[in-house]
Amino acid sequence: MSVNPSTVMLEGVLDRLEETLTLETDALRNRHLLDFEEISRRKSRSLLELSRAVRTLPGTLEGALLARLARLRATLTANRDLLELHLAAAQEVAAILGEALRAAESDGTYSAALGTRRAAP
């Protein structure tokens, strides 16, 4: 039984994509600093590679590849769930800060008029 080169190429793409997603997911879970620009670049590149690899696949996929794609789906779901959680937290913090700024401005503490007053001659 020969190995399909398209399947081998797809396996490599899936390895890199899964590695990137796992790196991001672990960093989010453990609250480690992460270069999100680099992660985004790696995910974009993996998406491009994946779309190219899928075009070369045969019409039917073997069981091992289907299982691998199911594992990738689980990895993507875990990553998405953590990203959604962090995004919701960031939105909540932004809302709290926005409300604090509005409250501070409304009591006149940071009024624009204070900065434009001129001293009497």
Side-chain angles (χ1 to χ4, degrees):
M1 183 168 156
S2 67
V3 177
N4 184 332
S6 297
T7 303
V8 172
M9 185 173 78
L10 180 61
E11 289 282 341
V13 170
L14 294 176
D15 287 343
R16 289 186 294 281
L17 178 56
E18 220 168 354
E19 177 186 328
T20 300
L21 293 169
T22 300
L23 175 69
E24 182 179 44
T25 301
D26 289 346
L28 291 170
R29 268 194 192 115
N30 299 311
R31 297 184 180 108
H32 292 152
L33 291 178
L34 189 63
D35 184 351
F36 284 105
E37 188 174 320
E38 171 65 14
I39 289 293
S40 179
R41 186 185 61 75
R42 287 174 61 179
K43 287 195 295 189
S44 293
R45 186 177 59 227
S46 291
L47 179 60
L48 177 62
E49 290 176 351
L50 183 60
S51 66
R52 288 177 178 165
V54 167
R55 286 187 216 137
T56 66
L57 289 175
T60 58
L61 301 178
E62 60 187 47
L65 186 54
L66 290 173
R68 180 72 192 273
L69 291 172
R71 190 174 81 208
L72 176 62
R73 177 182 286 248
T75 302
L76 283 164
T77 299
N79 182 261
R80 182 202 62 214
D81 292 348
L82 274 172
L83 286 170
E84 285 176 351
L85 181 67
H86 281 259
L87 178 60
Q91 289 170 334
E92 190 171 326
V93 168
I96 290 168
L97 290 174
E99 185 57 39
L101 285 172
R102 280 187 289 282
E105 288 173 352
S106 70
D107 72 0
T109 304
Y110 297 105
S111 172
L114 292 175
T116 58
R117 287 188 193 158
R118 296 178 189 231

